Amino acid sequence: EGYDDGSGMIDPNTGMPIAAGADGNKEIYLMIEPEIESRTLRQGSEWMCTECDHVFHRKLHLHDHIESKHVPHIPYACGMCPKKCKTMRSLRTHMAQHQRIDRLTVD
């Protein structure tokens, strides 16, 4: 139920590491989104993780926390390199780096 040296999730049925292709990233997020929401609690102007009571000022940061720490899922795969990310937001940040590099090499 944990990451195998950061390279991927362990399939509970086979015990083998698994990882998603880049085309499966959206489907992964849609599968785990209800689990993320179920661990989200609003307290006034703050957001709390119901798993560990960690408090955040922004819901987005709470979602990143829950996604990376409490919801086991297949890592998000970059379509341009072998990188895998624990959160959709970190994958988007990584993909933006590819776009910046592409723009620099075209100019």
Side-chain angles (χ1 to χ4, degrees):
E1 175 187 327
Y3 282 92
D4 175 37
D5 72 8
S7 62
M9 288 296 300
I10 301 299
D11 183 325
N13 299 318
T14 66
M16 300 297 292
I18 54 176
D23 57 346
N25 289 328
K26 185 175 182 181
E27 288 78 15
I28 294 168
Y29 187 79
L30 292 174
M31 281 182 358
I32 67 170
E33 187 176 25
E35 290 189 57
I36 293 171
E37 281 296 327
S38 72
R39 292 171 168 89
T40 299
L41 178 65
R42 184 168 192 158
Q43 292 189 318
S45 64
E46 297 181 324
W47 297 90
M48 188 178 84
C49 172
T50 60
E51 291 284 317
C52 67
D53 298 335
H54 199 112
V55 175
F56 297 86
H57 295 289
R58 297 199 172 152
K59 187 176 183 182
L60 174 65
H61 296 155
L62 171 60
H63 277 210
D64 286 347
H65 163 79
I66 294 169
E67 189 175 7
S68 67
K69 303 290 184 191
H70 301 302
V71 179
H73 64 87
I74 300 167
Y76 301 105
C78 175
M80 301 179 79
C81 74
K83 175 116 174 130
K84 293 179 180 52
C85 300
K86 288 184 178 182
T87 68
M88 181 63 86
R89 191 156 72 111
S90 63
L91 177 64
R92 286 186 184 131
T93 301
H94 170 76
M95 293 299 292
Q97 293 172 344
H98 281 299
Q99 292 171 351
R100 280 192 290 273
I101 291 169
D102 287 347
R103 274 187 253 135
L104 289 174
T105 57
V106 170
D107 292 343

